């Protein structure tokens, strides 16, 4: 459901009617002129359980919105919890007793601009393992200034994550469409989200050599992101999609500042893509997801904001390729989501990862 | 393409190898490598089981799952024991007792970590190959060594902690004992003094001598208790070290103690050393006092000097006194061992000296000839 009102009382009434006693997943576009604290107070006053996040844009159907509130119902909740102090690793994950022969899905929003997100995901996996699917994204502002961006009944927070575990089957498709240009390279030194050395050399020089050669463009003082948005790094994994890392800028030490963390001695390729490869990837992700689903009731799309920054006007095509594919098979399915700062998925297999520049589609199934 | 894959495999092994040994904490060490392998190889779980008293116990697991504590029965032994470096198993045939998580289908790779147990990797997909495991083996070998280091470090930490506790208990005990012993001694001393003062005429000469004997023994007992307390506290507490001018220290000692007439004390240039003045004073004072006390010559001669040797200061305190028989050259440093039936000796002085020298990572030894004299040599580490 999409809510355009910015009056807390009206919003809460709409949510209450929509979720009908269940919990609410609230995704708010950052352009929405709304007092979040007021909204939280009103939701609590009305006894509605909820979690949510603020995003650069939100998705409803086949539309991308700068303003608006997208509501999804969270059914069959086993647990809904808040994790604070993500960056300092000073938190614990609540215990859950998973029943045998029961499907579970965990949905989470995390402050996409905080550090140690990988550690948060590792702790989630260490606690819950293969007993649940994982799906979610990074919240935050496109300005890349960290501020409160995730919320739940306990309040509005930064450096935090909100999550809920539902008794619900889900199918997930994860693809990005970025392909290898050159590599492998070793990130011989990294600190947080900064690449300090590649193959024991100046990282920007190594990156620049490859990218300028492939793109036939030249880096200047003020065009780094304009070129780099088409040339992300990909962390190499066996039998799975690259984990993409977006270089954002070059700092004064010629080091590459990225979105998302990296570690010493990581193997990376330098990737490139185009409109066709990206859109093809989102179509594939949708297909993979639908092939695994049986009776989905809702779809949530978590698409990286940097894809729209790269695709620009063609992003509508990407979104339509996803929504058209879903609607053609499931015409009554509600589709909602957000453009995020990072994507979270288990892809149903193995360790939980924090992706960038990737599209993740989830189809959720439950009994009415 | 094939060469490219080989290069990729090698570089991935490099990444794994570099993740080993980043911490001496067992869990952190396991996390660093095993999480990385799970991520890069798209695996689902990993755990380590170790044998203890014929049971298999989980020492690490990711995800955490349930604790494994199971009998190392014949069925499991058949599966895991025998000579192998690694093996590949079908998940279906694996007893649930040895898996912290529920596994139904897929593959299990097992690496033999010998004394450190068995390392398991689980994948829901059938994507392990013998080649991959063979390539991983050298990394696992390195990991095994790092686990040994972690265990040694843990044991060392435990031993040090126990030592710390025992030291504290000993120190507390010594304080307690000395306080409890000193209290009645003070009473005896005071009362015997008043007895002698107030009843001097009634006591007579013999009575006064007996009271003097009582008071001498009380003094001796007090000195012994102080010596025991000193001995038990040397090296137990963190002491601040600073530059100590030994020339000045020895001069102060000579001024302080009772040096008989005709006793010559010759002091050569002594260095400034980094230490604790209180203990150094004890050390030199004990040796100089002994040199004065155990001298039967009309013109006692004492020499004190130093030299530099291999990062140590070597000192000597030499006298022309009564000397010590060779058989006792080691015994004299033992606690409560005295060579003479000397009522004033506590038998602890040289033990204290030895212990002080050892806190400076030095050693002490003696050269002596009965009737000719004794030289005590000792070294103190040069911290400059």
């Amino acid at each position: 459901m999409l809510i355009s009102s910015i009056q807390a009382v009206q919003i809460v009434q709409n949510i209450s009617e929509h979720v009908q006693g269940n919990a609410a997943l609230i995704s708010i576009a950052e352009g929405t002129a709304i007092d979040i604290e007021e909204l939280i107070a009103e939701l609590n006053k009305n006894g509605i359980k909820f979690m949510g996040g603020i995003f650069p844009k939100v998705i409803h159907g086949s539309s991308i919105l700068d303003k608006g509130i997208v509501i999804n119902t969270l059914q069959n909740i086993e647990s809904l919890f808040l994790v604070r102090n993500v960056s300092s690793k000073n938190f614990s994950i609540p215990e859950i007793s998973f029943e045998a022969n029961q499907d579970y899905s965990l949905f989470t929003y995390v402050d996409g601009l905080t550090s140690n997100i990988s550690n948060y995901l590792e702790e989630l996996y260490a606690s819950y393992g293969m007993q649940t699917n994982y799906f979610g994204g990074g919240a935050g502002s496109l300005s890349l200034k960290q501020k409160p961006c995730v919320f739940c009944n306990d309040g509005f927070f930064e450096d935090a994550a909100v999550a809920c575990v539902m008794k619900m089957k889900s199918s997930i498709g994860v693809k990005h469409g970025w392909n290898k240009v050159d590599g492998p390279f070793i990130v011989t030194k990294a600190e947080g989200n900064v690449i300090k050395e590649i193959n024991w050399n100046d990282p920007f020089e190594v990156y620049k050599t490859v990218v300028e050669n492939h793109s036939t463009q030249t880096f200047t003082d003020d065009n780094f992101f304009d070129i780099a948005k088409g040339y992300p790094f990909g962390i190499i994994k066996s039998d799975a999609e690259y984990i993409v890392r977006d270089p954002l800028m070059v700092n004064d030490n010629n080091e590459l500042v990225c979105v998302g963390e990296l570690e010493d001695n990581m193997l990376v390729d330098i990737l490139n893509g185009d409109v066709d490869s990206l859109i093809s990837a989102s179509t594939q992700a949708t297909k993979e997801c639908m092939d695994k689903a049986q009776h989905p009731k809702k779809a949530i799309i978590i698409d990286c904001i940097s894809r729209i920054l790269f695709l620009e006007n063609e992003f509508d095509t990407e979104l339509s390729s996803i929504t058209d594919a879903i609607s053609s098979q499931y015409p009554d399915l509600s589709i909602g989501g957000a453009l995020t700062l990072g994507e979270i998925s288990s892809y149903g297999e193995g360790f939980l990862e924090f992706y960038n520049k990737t599209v993740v589609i989830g189809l959720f199934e439950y009994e009415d | 393409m094939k060469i490219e894959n080989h290069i990729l495999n090698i570089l991935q092994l490099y990444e794994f190898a570099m993740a080993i040994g980043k911490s001496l904490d067992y869990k952190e060490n396991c996390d660093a490598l095993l999480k990385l392998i799970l991520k890069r190889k798209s695996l689902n779980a990993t755990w380590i089981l170790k044998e203890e008293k014929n049971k298999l116990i989980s020492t690490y697991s990711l995800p955490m799952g349930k604790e494994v504590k199971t009998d190392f029965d014949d069925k499991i032994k058949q599966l895991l024991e025998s000579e192998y470096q690694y093996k590949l198993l079908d998940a279906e045939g694996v007893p649930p007792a040895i898996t912290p998580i529920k596994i139904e289908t897929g593959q299990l790779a097992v690496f033999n970590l010998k004394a450190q147990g068995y390392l398991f990797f689980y994948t829901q997909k059938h994507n392990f190959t013998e080649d991959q495991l063979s390539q991983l083996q050298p990394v696992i070998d390195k990991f095994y060594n790092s686990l040994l280091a972690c265990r040694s470090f843990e044991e060392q930490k435990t031993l040090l902690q126990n030592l710390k506790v025992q030291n504290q208990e000993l120190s507390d005990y010594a304080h307690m004992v000395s306080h409890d012993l000193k209290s009645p001694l003070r009473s005896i001393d005071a009362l015997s003094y008043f007895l002698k003062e107030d009843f001097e005429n009634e006591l007579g000469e013999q009575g006064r001598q007996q009271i003097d004997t009582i008071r001498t023994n009380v003094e001796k007992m007090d000195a012994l208790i102080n010596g025991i307390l000193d001995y038990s506290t040397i090296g137990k507490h963190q002491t601040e070290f600073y530059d100590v001018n030994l020339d000045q220290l020895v001069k102060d000692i000579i001024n302080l103690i009772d040096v008989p007439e005709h006793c010559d004390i010759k002091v050569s240039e002594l260095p400034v050393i980094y230490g604790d003045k209180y203990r150094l004073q004890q050390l030199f004072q004990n040796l100089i006092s002994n040199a004065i006390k155990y001298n039967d010559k009309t013109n006692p001669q004492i020499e004190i000097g130093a030299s530099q040797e291999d990062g140590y200061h070597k000192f000597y305190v030499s006298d022309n006194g009564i000397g010590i028989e060779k058989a006792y050259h080691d015994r004299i440093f033992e606690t409560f061992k005295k060579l003479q039936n000397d009522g004033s000796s506590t038998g602890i002085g040289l033990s204290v000296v030895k212990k002080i020298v050892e806190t400076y990572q030095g050693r002490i030894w003696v050269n002596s000839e009965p009737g000719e004299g004794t030289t005590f040599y000792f070294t103190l580490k040069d911290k400059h």
Side-chain angles (χ1 to χ4, degrees):
Chain A
M1 181 177 83
L2 174 68
I3 300 173
S4 305
S5 169
I6 55 172
Q7 302 301 324
V9 172
Q10 183 62 51
I11 293 167
V12 170
Q13 195 182 340
N14 291 345
I15 291 174
S16 180
E17 284 164 8
H18 184 74
V19 303
Q20 294 184 352
N22 291 300
L25 176 67
I26 305 170
S27 309
I28 303 178
E30 66 173 321
T32 312
I34 181 177
D35 185 329
I36 303 292
E37 304 275 12
E38 194 189 337
L39 176 64
I40 291 169
E42 195 62 31
L43 284 161
N44 280 333
K45 195 167 128 192
N46 284 268
I48 298 173
K49 212 165 176 176
F50 63 93
M51 58 174 262
I54 312 289
F55 300 93
K57 295 173 198 287
V58 291
I59 297 169
H60 185 254
S62 54
S63 304
I64 312 145
L65 304 157
D66 295 325
K67 297 177 192 181
I69 304 171
V70 172
I71 307 297
N72 280 291
T73 309
L74 300 171
Q75 285 93 347
N76 307 331
I77 290 194
E78 186 66 28
S79 176
L80 196 157
F81 56 89
L82 165 72
V83 171
R84 300 188 69 179
N85 307 316
V86 169
S87 63
S88 61
K89 304 184 187 181
N90 186 18
F91 58 84
S92 58
I93 305 292
E95 271 186 49
I96 294 175
S97 290
F98 290 91
E99 291 167 26
N101 305 315
Q102 169 67 54
D103 291 311
Y104 289 87
S105 298
L106 182 149
F107 193 93
T108 182
Y109 283 150
V110 66
D111 177 352
L113 294 170
T114 195
S115 53
N116 292 322
I117 293 171
S118 294
N119 176 72
Y120 163 63
L121 300 182
E122 284 169 12
E123 289 301 315
L124 275 182
Y125 191 80
S127 300
Y128 304 144
M130 297 171 291
Q131 297 171 105
T132 178
N133 265 355
Y134 301 86
F135 187 75
S141 167
L142 190 55
S143 67
L144 302 182
K145 285 190 170 51
Q146 192 179 12
K147 46 188 163 182
C149 57
V150 296
F151 53 89
C152 63
N153 296 84
D154 296 324
F156 189 28
F157 305 95
E158 62 183 88
D159 189 24
V162 289
C164 78
V165 178
M166 300 166 282
K167 283 183 181 173
M168 192 181 287
K169 187 171 184 276
S170 57
S171 313
I172 298 169
V174 179
K175 287 277 180 228
H176 49 64
W178 301 96
N179 300 304
K180 178 177 171 176
V181 167
D182 203 352
F185 300 96
I186 307 176
V187 174
T188 42
K189 213 183 266 185
E191 195 177 303
N193 62 334
V194 179
I195 299 177
K196 290 174 166 271
E197 230 179 56
I198 294 176
N199 288 7
W200 299 273
N201 281 312
D202 183 314
F204 178 51
E205 289 305 318
V206 172
Y207 179 74
K208 194 171 114 167
T209 305
V210 171
V211 171
E212 284 184 347
N213 186 48
H214 189 266
S215 67
T216 67
Q217 295 178 73
T218 308
F219 282 106
T220 63
D221 285 343
D222 53 11
N223 72 349
F224 178 82
F225 188 68
D226 292 333
I227 303 172
K229 68 184 180 187
Y231 290 90
F233 289 99
I235 301 167
I236 298 168
K237 275 170 72 94
S238 305
D239 305 322
E241 291 280 282
Y242 288 109
I243 306 296
V244 177
R245 288 290 177 259
D246 230 339
L248 274 184
M249 55 179 264
V250 185
N251 68 16
D252 294 337
N253 299 323
N254 253 19
E255 295 161 347
L256 297 170
V257 181
C258 300
V259 178
E261 295 143 301
L262 301 106
E263 286 153 12
D264 287 350
N265 305 306
M266 262 180 171
L267 291 188
V268 296
D269 286 338
I270 295 174
L271 312 176
N272 180 238
D274 55 30
V275 169
D276 290 336
S277 69
L278 262 62
I279 293 173
S280 169
S282 44
T283 310
Q284 262 184 289
T286 315
K287 185 178 181 308
E288 274 185 16
C289 182
M290 282 167 51
D291 284 347
K292 290 182 264 189
Q294 287 173 316
H295 308 290
K297 296 281 173 55
K298 70 166 162 263
I300 299 180
I301 301 169
I302 298 292
D303 205 339
C304 190
I305 184 67
S306 62
R307 289 172 78 86
I308 194 175
L309 297 177
F310 179 78
L311 291 168
E312 294 175 342
N313 294 334
E314 296 293 339
F315 184 78
D316 285 336
T317 313
E318 167 159 299
L319 187 57
S320 319
S321 75
I322 299 168
T323 56
D324 289 350
I326 295 171
S327 300
S328 67
Q329 195 160 335
Y330 306 104
D332 297 328
L333 209 67
S334 73
I335 301 174
L339 297 185
T340 56
L341 306 173
E343 301 72 58
I344 293 165
S345 172
S346 59
Y347 198 7
E349 292 152 12
F351 217 77
L352 203 45
E353 300 271 18
F354 192 58
Y355 294 80
N356 288 153
K357 265 180 144 64
T358 300
V359 59
V360 182
I361 298 139
L363 294 177
F364 295 85
E365 309 185 27
Y366 51 88
E367 299 290 329
D368 279 329
Chain B
M1 195 59 170
K2 207 170 171 185
I3 292 173
E4 217 178 277
N5 284 343
H6 285 320
I7 293 170
L8 204 57
N9 287 340
I10 290 165
L11 290 177
Q12 195 173 63
L13 292 174
Y14 167 81
E15 188 185 6
F16 294 157
M18 293 301 285
I20 298 169
K22 287 190 169 181
S23 172
L24 282 172
D25 178 83
Y26 184 85
K27 185 182 180 296
E28 283 176 15
N29 188 37
C30 289
D31 275 345
L33 174 67
L34 301 181
K35 272 185 191 174
L36 189 63
I37 294 177
L38 286 200
K39 283 194 221 185
R40 298 290 184 262
K41 294 288 190 192
S42 301
L43 305 177
N44 292 97
T46 179
W47 62 94
I48 299 174
L49 300 182
K50 196 174 174 195
E51 191 199 338
E52 265 176 44
K53 295 175 186 165
N54 211 34
K55 282 200 184 301
L56 277 182
I57 297 168
S58 50
T59 59
Y60 178 83
S61 180
L62 178 68
M64 282 187 289
K66 70 174 197 309
E67 191 194 357
V68 170
K69 196 171 183 178
T70 187
D71 290 329
F72 201 1
D73 61 30
D74 290 337
K75 185 180 176 191
I76 298 173
K77 278 184 185 173
Q78 203 174 13
L79 196 63
L80 296 180
E81 272 193 340
S82 76
E83 290 294 316
Y84 65 91
Q85 287 184 309
Y86 59 83
K87 56 166 85 175
L88 208 46
L89 303 171
D90 217 354
E92 275 173 27
V94 174
I98 62 167
T99 65
I101 51 154
K102 189 178 168 190
I103 61 174
E104 285 165 343
T105 58
Q107 282 179 312
L108 211 55
V110 188
F111 287 88
N112 192 341
L113 297 180
K114 299 166 240 174
Q116 294 301 311
Y118 304 93
L119 169 63
F120 296 81
F121 289 107
Y122 168 65
T123 173
Q124 282 177 329
K125 300 189 279 191
H126 281 74
N127 57 347
F128 274 134
T129 63
E130 287 281 341
D131 271 352
Q132 278 180 333
L133 299 187
S134 165
Q135 284 168 6
L136 212 43
Q137 185 60 51
V139 170
I140 303 301
D141 286 342
K142 198 169 177 247
F143 177 60
Y144 163 72
N145 286 329
S146 75
L147 293 182
L148 287 177
C150 289
R151 283 295 183 219
S152 292
F153 181 69
E154 255 174 55
E155 280 162 20
Q156 190 188 56
K157 255 173 60 177
T158 307
L159 281 170
L160 282 171
Q161 184 57 28
N162 287 344
L163 199 60
K164 202 172 157 186
V165 166
Q166 280 170 14
N167 276 348
Q168 187 57 44
E169 282 172 357
L170 187 63
S171 181
D172 291 344
Y173 178 73
H175 272 99
M176 198 172 61
V177 163
S178 76
H179 181 266
D180 287 348
L181 289 174
K182 278 188 166 210
S183 182
L185 278 182
R186 276 195 285 274
S187 299
I188 296 169
D189 188 54
L191 287 171
S192 58
Y193 174 78
F194 291 134
L195 200 61
K196 190 179 168 186
E197 281 280 303
D198 296 346
F199 297 98
E200 191 176 357
N201 295 332
E202 287 87 338
L203 283 168
E205 183 61 31
Q206 199 179 1
R208 286 195 293 275
Q209 275 178 2
Q210 282 172 346
I211 287 182
D212 284 342
T213 305
I214 290 170
R215 299 196 76 230
T216 302
N217 278 293
V218 165
E219 274 174 29
K220 185 179 150 189
M221 184 75 175
D222 192 54
L224 181 61
I225 292 167
N226 285 339
I228 292 170
L229 198 57
D230 260 344
Y231 184 82
S232 70
T233 55
I234 293 169
K236 293 288 183 297
H237 303 292
Q238 201 75 15
T239 315
E240 256 189 58
F241 275 25
Y242 41 87
D243 284 343
V244 179
N245 184 329
L246 290 180
D247 262 340
Q248 191 58 51
L249 182 105
V250 168
K251 265 195 196 119
D252 291 342
I253 290 169
I254 293 168
N255 288 338
L256 186 73
I257 61 178
D258 190 14
V259 180
E261 265 186 65
H262 309 301
C263 176
D264 293 325
I265 303 179
K266 194 167 136 193
V267 183
S268 305
E269 195 184 341
L270 298 177
V272 170
I273 74 161
Y274 199 65
D276 157 34
K277 188 179 173 186
Y278 174 69
R279 292 296 180 200
L280 289 167
Q281 181 169 321
Q282 259 187 320
L283 188 167
F284 278 96
Q285 188 164 330
N286 276 358
L287 290 174
I288 295 169
S289 298
N290 279 357
I292 294 170
K293 190 168 161 187
Y294 297 106
N295 200 306
D296 55 356
K297 310 293 187 296
T298 49
N299 181 206
Q301 304 279 318
I302 296 167
E303 276 186 46
I304 303 160
S307 60
Q308 184 81 10
E309 262 182 34
D310 292 331
Y312 284 86
H313 295 288
K314 184 180 167 188
F315 299 89
Y316 63 87
V317 177
S318 183
D319 65 58
N320 62 345
I322 60 174
I324 307 167
E325 283 180 36
K326 199 172 167 60
Y328 302 112
H329 282 190
D330 290 331
R331 280 189 64 190
I332 54 173
F333 295 109
E334 292 173 28
T335 328
F336 303 126
K337 293 284 189 292
K338 318 182 266 190
L339 300 182
Q340 293 196 326
N341 194 14
D342 179 355
S344 62
S345 169
T346 60
I348 204 163
L350 285 177
S351 317
V352 168
V353 164
K354 181 168 183 264
K355 219 175 177 208
I356 294 172
V357 164
E358 284 168 354
T359 63
Y360 285 81
Q361 296 163 270
R363 64 185 190 99
I364 184 165
W365 67 100
V366 65
N367 278 354
S368 187
E369 281 295 334
E372 288 185 23
T374 301
T375 302
F376 281 94
Y377 294 97
F378 61 94
T379 55
L380 303 177
K381 194 158 173 70
D382 183 359
K383 282 186 169 32
H384 284 284

